[in-house]
């Protein structure tokens, strides 16, 4: 049983780092500049949602429409703001026990991938010094269909050369858990049971994930 290989796929935002707070600041600035109110509750609904879709949702909430040039321009502005926050990130922003779990899986020779909707995934991983920890990285630049479409995770599984049903996905978003389920992967929700009840397992954060549990995932 010891040489069993599973594919461990990690979402980035909200799983490895808490970037939702930076997305919030950047979206809020943009929304307010359009005279639209933007709350933390609304920000919750943008978790796992692509940049384009996020702006569409904000415009719908604020009952605004934009020309396609304005839309493109605002997306670029939002991303510039967001990158300003990312630029200040360092390894201290990696969420608790993420290093422990990654290191344990590595020690067990398990293939590890990133499966993120973000087009900024690589610069973020670089900032927090995790870029070389992944055997494969699939991000928003590599896929055309957003979560809950399973494309991002299926592509990651292909790169790892592991069957989807032998993959395990760590996700904090409703759409991401759904994507993992549709792909036939084991879904592990990181966050609250109330929000992520459709995941196969839910943990508040990585501190709750024991080595015994990781061994079960590897050996089952
Ligand atoms: C997801 C985030 O991981 O990536 C979303 O949860 C974000 O909030 C999406 O909108 C796209 O990210 P980016 O970095 O390409 O704007
Ligand atoms: Mg996420």
């Amino acid at each position: 049983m010891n040489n069993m290989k599973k594919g461990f796929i990690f979402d980035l935002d909200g799983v490895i780092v808490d970037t939702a707070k930076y997305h919030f600041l950047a979206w809020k600035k943009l929304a307010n500049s359009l005279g639209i109110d933007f709350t933390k509750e609304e920000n919750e609904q943008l978790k796992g949602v692509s940049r384009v879709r996020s702006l569409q949702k904000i415009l719908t909430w604020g009952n605004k429409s934009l020309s396609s040039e304005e839309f493109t321009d605002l997306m670029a502005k939002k991303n510039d703001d967001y990158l300003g926050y990312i630029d200040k990130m360092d390894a201290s922003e990696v969420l608790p026990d993420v290093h422990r779990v990654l290191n344990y899986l590595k020690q067990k020779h398990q293939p590890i991938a990133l499966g993120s909707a973000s087009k900024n995934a690589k610069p973020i991983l670089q900032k927090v010094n995790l870029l070389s920890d992944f055997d494969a990285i699939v991000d928003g630049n590599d896929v055309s269909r957003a979560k809950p479409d399973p494309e991002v995770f299926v592509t990651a599984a292909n790169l790892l050369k592991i069957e989807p049903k032998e993959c395990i996905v760590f996700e904090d978003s409703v759409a991401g858990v759904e994507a993992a389920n549709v792909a036939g992967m084991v879904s592990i929700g990181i966050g609250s049971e109330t929000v992520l009840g459709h995941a196969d397992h839910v943990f508040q954060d990585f501190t709750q994930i024991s080595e015994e549990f990781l061994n079960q995932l590897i050996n089952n």
Side-chain angles (χ1 to χ4, degrees):
M1 288 300 236
N2 277 340
N3 51 12
M4 232 159 188
K5 279 201 199 305
K6 294 290 168 72
F8 285 86
I9 307 176
F10 292 76
D11 173 46
L12 174 68
D13 298 308
V15 168
I16 289 177
V17 283
D18 174 22
T19 38
K21 59 189 177 204
Y22 302 136
H23 281 297
F24 174 69
L25 292 170
W27 282 130
K28 186 172 167 58
K29 185 173 166 191
L30 178 146
N32 292 354
S33 77
L34 295 169
I36 303 173
D37 203 22
F38 183 65
T39 63
K40 289 222 155 130
E41 288 67 38
E42 284 161 340
N43 193 53
E44 279 299 304
Q45 295 181 48
L46 300 184
K47 281 189 178 171
V49 175
S50 72
R51 201 181 307 165
V52 176
R53 190 79 195 100
S54 299
L55 182 50
Q56 286 168 345
K57 277 177 171 268
I58 291 171
L59 294 173
T60 307
W61 293 329
N63 212 1
K64 285 249 171 213
S65 58
L66 297 177
S67 70
S68 68
E69 290 86 60
E70 286 170 320
F71 191 99
T72 312
D73 184 48
L74 284 181
M75 287 240 300
K77 277 208 179 97
K78 185 270 173 178
N79 200 48
D80 280 351
D81 268 346
Y82 180 65
L83 289 177
Y85 296 109
I86 298 312
D87 198 45
K88 297 187 193 82
M89 287 181 86
D90 62 27
S92 68
E93 292 205 40
V94 174
L95 287 167
D97 275 17
V98 167
H99 285 119
R100 175 182 64 83
V101 169
L102 287 174
N103 289 338
Y104 187 77
L105 295 174
K106 248 190 280 181
Q107 185 196 319
K108 295 282 170 185
H109 308 290
Q110 297 300 306
I112 301 171
L114 189 89
S116 167
S118 172
K119 295 190 170 177
N120 298 304
K122 282 184 185 153
I124 294 172
L125 286 179
Q126 196 154 26
K127 276 285 173 191
V128 300
N129 215 5
L130 284 179
L131 195 55
S132 59
D133 285 62
F134 293 87
D135 301 302
I137 292 177
V138 183
D139 65 24
N141 302 294
D142 305 312
V143 293
S144 53
R145 295 186 301 275
K147 299 169 188 177
D149 188 286
E151 184 183 9
V152 63
F153 296 141
V154 173
T155 308
N158 287 342
L159 288 174
L160 293 179
K161 299 191 170 61
I162 305 280
E163 288 289 312
K165 64 177 177 25
E166 304 296 335
C167 288
I168 295 112
V169 172
F170 296 93
E171 252 295 345
D172 70 314
S173 75
V174 172
V177 166
E178 200 181 320
N181 290 345
V182 172
M185 301 177 175
V186 174
S187 54
I188 304 195
I190 301 293
S192 95
E193 174 76 49
T194 343
V195 181
L196 303 173
H198 55 318
D200 294 313
H201 309 270
V202 182
F203 296 94
Q204 195 55 52
D205 56 38
F206 282 94
T207 67
Q208 308 297 307
I209 299 186
S210 66
E211 292 181 355
E212 193 189 348
F213 178 73
L214 293 173
N215 283 333
Q216 279 171 24
L217 291 173
I218 296 169
N219 294 317
N220 277 339

